[in-house]
C-alpha cells in the first residue's frame, strides 16, 4: 500500500511539472525563415557594405622593432600609422548553416592593398615617409553564433575565429626608397606575425560594435495613435542545415497599456520549403491581438457625418446618391444627422487561404444634429458585419483592404414591420459597403 502511494505521488509530481513547463512555453505570433539562398545573396550584397566599412575604418597602428644583421644595425624601431585599405578582394567567400550552432563564414585566397605612413628609428638613422603593403593569401574562418539578449534583441558572437595572411610585400616610397626597400623583406615576417595576431581581435571588436547597434533596434514600434507592435525575439534563432528560423513575439498592445490580451498564441509551423530567400508566417494570434488592441484603444468607435458619407457615395457609387433621402423619409427628418458605428466586442478573426474574415459585432446609432449643435440619438441598432480582409505587400508595407461579405441588422425594441427592418438593413448595408468601408480603407 505504501509503495502504491509513493508511485501515485511521483505520478502527480510528474504531471504537475509537465503542466508548469507547458504553461511557461511562449509561442511566436510571427515566424521568419532565412534560407541558404539568402546567405548567398548576403555574401554578394555584404561585400559592398564591407568594402565601404573597411575603406573608412581606422586601423590601429602597427609598431615593432627588428635587428638588421646585414647592415650591422642592432635594432630598427618602426611604426606604421594612418593605415588605410583602398582595395581588397575576397573571391572565395561563403556562408553556410551549422545545424544547432550558427553560421560558418569562410573566405580564402583574399588580397588587400594597404597604404600607410611609416616612421623608422635606429642608432644610425631616423626617417619618415609612405609605404604600400600588399597582402595575399588572406584566410578567415569563424562561426557566427546568433542569440537573443534579455530585451529580445539579436546578438552575435564569434566562435572558433581563425585568420591568417600568408604573404606580405612592403614597398617604400620617398627619396631613400631604394635603401629602405633593401631591408623591406626582413621586415615582412614580423609584420605578418603582428598582423595575424591582430586580425581576430579587430574582427571581434567590430562584432561588439555591431551588437551595440543591434541593442538599439526598436523591437516595440508605434504603429499609429492606437497601438504598438512588439516583434522582439522570444528565443534564440533555430539553425538547421538549410535555414535559420526566427521566432518573434508578434503582438499588438494598446498605446497606453502593455498588458497581454486574455488569450495566448498557439504553436504553428512554416511549410518545409527553402527554395526562396525569405518566408514569413503570421499566426491568427497576431491578428487577434491587433483586433483586441484596437478595440481596447477605442479605434472601433467612429462617427461619420452624412455629408461626408453622401459626398463619398456621390463621387464613387452611381445610383446610390438617394440613400440619404430614403433614410430621411423613414424618419421624417429635416435636420442634419450623423452615423456612429462602434464595435461592441473585439472583431472575431478567422484565417483563410489568401485572406481572413473579420466578423464585427457592433452597434450603429443615428444622431440628429440639433440647433444648439448637440447630437441627439434617434435610434440605435445592433448588427453583425462579416468582412473579408485582403492582404497585399507593397514595397516594405503590408496593406489590408476591407470588403463586406454579409450584414445582419437587429432592432430589439423596434415596433416597425419586418419589411421596414429589411429595407433599412439593405440601406445600412449599402452605406457600409459603399461609404464607411471605403472611408476606413482610405
Amino acid at each position: 500500500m505504501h509503495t502504491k502511494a509513493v508511485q501515485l505521488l511521483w505520478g502527480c509530481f510528474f504531471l504537475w511539472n509537465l503542466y508548469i513547463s507547458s504553461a511557461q512555453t511562449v509561442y511566436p505570433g510571427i515566424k521568419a525563415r532565412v534560407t541558404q539562398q539568402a546567405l548567398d545573396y548576403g555574401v554578394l550584397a555584404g561585400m559592398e557594405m564591407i568594402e565601404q566599412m573597411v575603406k573608412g575604418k581606422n586601423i590601429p597602428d602597427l609598431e615593432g622593432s627588428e635587428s638588421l644583421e646585414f647592415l650591422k644595425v642592432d635594432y630598427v624601431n618602426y611604426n606604421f600609422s594612418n593605415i588605410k585599405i583602398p582595395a581588397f578582394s575576397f573571391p572565395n567567400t561563403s556562408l553556410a548553416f551549422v545545424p544547432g550552432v550558427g553560421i560558418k563564414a569562410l573566405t580564402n585566397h583574399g588580397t588587400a592593398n594597404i597604404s600607410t605612413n611609416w616612421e623608422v628609428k635606429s642608432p644610425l638613422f631616423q626617417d619618415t615617409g609612405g609605404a604600400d603593403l600588399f597582402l595575399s593569401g588572406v584566410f578567415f574562418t569563424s562561426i557566427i553564433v546568433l542569440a537573443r539578449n534579455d530585451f529580445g534583441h539579436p546578438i552575435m558572437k564569434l566562435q572558433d575565429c581563425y585568420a591568417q595572411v600568408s604573404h606580405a610585400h612592403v614597398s617604400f616610397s620617398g627619396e631613400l626608397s631604394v635603401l629602405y626597400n633593401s631591408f623591406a623583406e626582413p621586415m615582412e615576417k614580423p609584420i605578418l606575425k603582428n598582423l595575424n595576431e591582430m586580425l581576430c581581435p579587430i574582427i571581434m571588436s567590430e562584432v561588439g560594435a555591431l551588437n551595440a547597434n543591434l541593442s538599439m533596434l526598436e523591437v516595440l514600434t508605434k504603429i499609429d495613435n492606437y497601438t504598438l507592435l512588439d516583434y522582439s525575439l522570444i528565443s534564440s534563432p533555430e539553425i538547421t542545415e538549410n535555414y535559420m528560423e526566427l521566432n518573434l513575439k508578434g503582438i499588438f498592445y494598446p498605446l497606453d497599456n502593455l498588458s497581454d490580451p486574455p488569450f495566448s498564441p498557439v504553436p504553428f509551423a512554416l511549410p518545409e520549403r527553402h527554395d526562396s530567400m525569405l518566408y514569413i508566417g503570421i499566426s491568427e494570434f497576431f491578428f487577434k491581438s491587433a483586433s483586441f488592441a484596437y478595440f481596447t484603444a477605442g479605434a472601433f468607435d467612429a462617427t461619420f457625418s452624412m455629408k461626408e458619407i453622401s459626398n463619398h457615395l456621390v463621387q464613387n457609387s452611381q445610383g446610390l446618391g438617394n440613400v440619404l433621402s430614403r433614410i430621411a423619409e423613414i424618419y421624417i427628418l429635416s435636420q442634419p444627422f450623423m452615423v456612429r458605428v462602434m464595435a461592441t466586442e473585439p472583431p472575431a478573426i478567422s484565417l483563410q487561404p489568401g485572406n481572413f474574415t473579420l466578423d464585427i459585432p457592433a452597434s450603429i446609432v443615428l444622431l440628429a444634429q440639433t440647433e444648439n449643435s448637440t447630437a441627439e440619438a434617434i435610434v440605435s441598432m445592433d448588427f453583425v458585419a462579416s468582412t473579408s480582409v485582403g492582404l497585399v505587400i507593397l514595397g516594405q508595407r503590408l496593406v489590408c483592404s476591407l470588403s463586406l461579405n454579409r450584414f445582419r441588422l437587429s432592432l430589439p425594441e423596434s415596433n416597425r414591420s419586418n419589411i421596414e427592418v429589411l429595407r433599412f438593413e439593405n440601406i445600412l448595408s449599402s452605406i457600409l459597403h459603399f461609404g464607411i468601408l471605403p472611408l476606413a480603407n482610405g
Side-chain angles (χ1 to χ4, degrees):
M1 184 69 180
H2 176 72
T3 303
K4 291 184 178 180
V6 171
Q7 291 176 343
L8 179 62
L9 287 174
W10 275 111
C12 292
F13 180 75
F14 176 73
L15 291 174
W16 174 252
N17 279 337
L18 284 179
Y19 170 77
I20 291 296
S21 62
S22 64
Q24 292 177 343
T25 302
V26 178
Y27 297 110
I30 301 174
K31 280 180 175 285
R33 177 177 294 172
V34 179
T35 67
Q36 182 63 49
Q37 284 86 339
L39 294 188
D40 296 339
Y41 176 78
V43 170
L44 299 176
M47 283 297 103
E48 298 181 4
M49 181 182 69
I50 293 175
E51 181 177 358
Q52 297 299 321
M53 182 183 70
V54 168
K55 286 182 178 180
K57 179 64 181 173
N58 293 322
I59 300 176
D61 293 354
L62 186 64
E63 57 184 21
S65 180
E66 193 71 20
S67 63
L68 302 177
E69 295 180 1
F70 69 99
L71 290 177
K72 306 299 182 181
V73 178
D74 293 335
Y75 70 90
V76 173
N77 294 329
Y78 59 87
N79 179 51
F80 292 93
S81 60
N82 193 28
I83 302 174
K84 301 293 182 184
I85 306 178
F88 70 94
S89 174
F90 297 135
N92 299 325
T93 300
S94 64
L95 296 173
F97 294 113
V98 180
V101 182
I103 299 173
K104 183 176 182 179
L106 173 66
T107 186
N108 201 2
H109 303 300
T111 61
N113 291 93
I114 300 175
S115 64
T116 179
N117 298 329
W118 57 265
E119 179 182 5
V120 293
K121 294 180 180 180
S122 76
L124 297 180
F125 59 89
Q126 176 178 338
D127 204 356
T128 60
D132 292 316
L133 178 63
F134 177 72
L135 305 178
S136 60
V138 179
F139 177 84
F140 168 76
T141 181
S142 183
I143 295 178
I144 304 169
V145 179
L146 300 172
R148 68 179 288 274
N149 63 15
D150 294 338
F151 301 98
H153 297 101
I155 56 175
M156 299 172 57
K157 299 177 183 178
L158 281 190
Q159 180 177 304
D160 301 330
C161 179
Y162 178 77
Q164 183 181 34
V165 180
S166 299
H167 306 285
H169 176 70
V170 181
S171 177
F172 292 93
S173 60
E175 294 181 0
L176 300 178
S177 59
V178 176
L179 173 63
Y180 301 140
N181 286 328
S182 67
F183 60 82
E185 185 175 349
M187 296 181 63
E188 291 170 358
K189 185 176 181 179
I191 288 175
L192 275 179
K193 179 178 180 296
N194 290 337
L195 189 61
N196 287 334
E197 290 176 352
M198 292 169 58
L199 283 175
C200 274
I202 289 175
I203 295 171
M204 288 182 176
S205 175
E206 289 299 318
V207 172
L210 179 58
N211 280 331
N213 290 329
L214 290 175
S215 67
M216 301 298 292
L217 286 176
E218 292 287 346
V219 293
L220 188 63
T221 300
K222 179 181 177 181
I223 301 300
D224 48 34
N225 292 330
Y226 296 101
T227 61
L228 301 166
L229 174 60
D230 186 339
Y231 51 91
S232 57
L233 285 171
I234 64 171
S235 61
S236 296
E238 301 173 9
I239 310 290
T240 71
E241 184 178 359
N242 297 309
Y243 58 79
M244 172 177 66
E245 200 158 273
L246 306 173
N247 293 318
L248 309 177
K249 196 168 185 181
I251 181 173
F252 283 84
Y253 293 108
L255 199 58
D256 57 352
N257 184 2
L258 296 183
S259 300
D260 288 339
F263 46 85
S264 301
V266 296
F268 75 101
L270 294 176
E272 282 299 322
R273 297 174 56 187
H274 41 79
D275 42 334
S276 295
M277 288 197 297
L278 178 67
Y279 294 89
I280 296 179
I282 301 176
S283 71
E284 193 171 274
F285 171 81
F286 172 87
F287 295 106
K288 286 180 66 177
S289 72
S291 170
F292 183 82
Y294 277 101
F295 174 79
T296 304
F300 300 141
D301 187 346
T303 300
F304 302 93
S305 70
M306 279 302 175
K307 181 179 180 181
E308 186 179 14
I309 298 174
S310 178
N311 289 339
H312 186 84
L313 290 173
V314 170
Q315 293 172 6
N316 300 283
S317 308
Q318 294 181 356
L320 290 171
N322 62 343
V323 169
L324 299 180
S325 61
R326 292 172 65 184
I327 295 177
E329 288 176 3
I330 295 176
Y331 288 98
I332 317 175
L333 296 172
S334 57
Q335 68 267 43
F337 60 103
M338 299 173 292
V339 176
R340 182 185 179 188
V341 182
M342 52 185 173
T344 54
E345 296 178 18
I349 293 172
S350 177
L351 292 184
Q352 306 292 335
N355 62 8
F356 63 90
T357 59
L358 193 67
D359 291 334
I360 307 173
S363 178
I364 186 168
V365 181
L366 293 183
L367 302 167
Q369 192 77 35
T370 60
E371 294 181 357
N372 58 3
S373 298
T374 60
E376 180 182 334
I378 304 169
V379 64
S380 64
M381 299 147 283
D382 294 328
F383 69 88
V384 175
S386 176
T387 64
S388 292
V389 183
L391 301 176
V392 179
I393 296 178
L394 296 177
Q396 296 182 351
R397 301 183 62 188
L398 178 66
V399 180
C400 304
S401 60
L402 297 167
S403 59
L404 187 65
N405 292 340
R406 68 181 185 275
F407 179 86
R408 291 291 180 266
L409 178 69
S410 61
L411 295 173
E413 299 178 0
S414 174
N415 294 322
R416 298 185 179 277
S417 66
N418 291 333
I419 297 177
E420 288 180 325
V421 172
L422 179 61
R423 182 172 64 163
F424 200 69
E425 180 179 284
N426 293 335
I427 293 171
L428 291 179
S429 177
S430 298
I431 291 177
L432 280 174
H433 183 76
F434 296 101
I436 293 177
L437 287 183
L439 283 174
N441 285 330

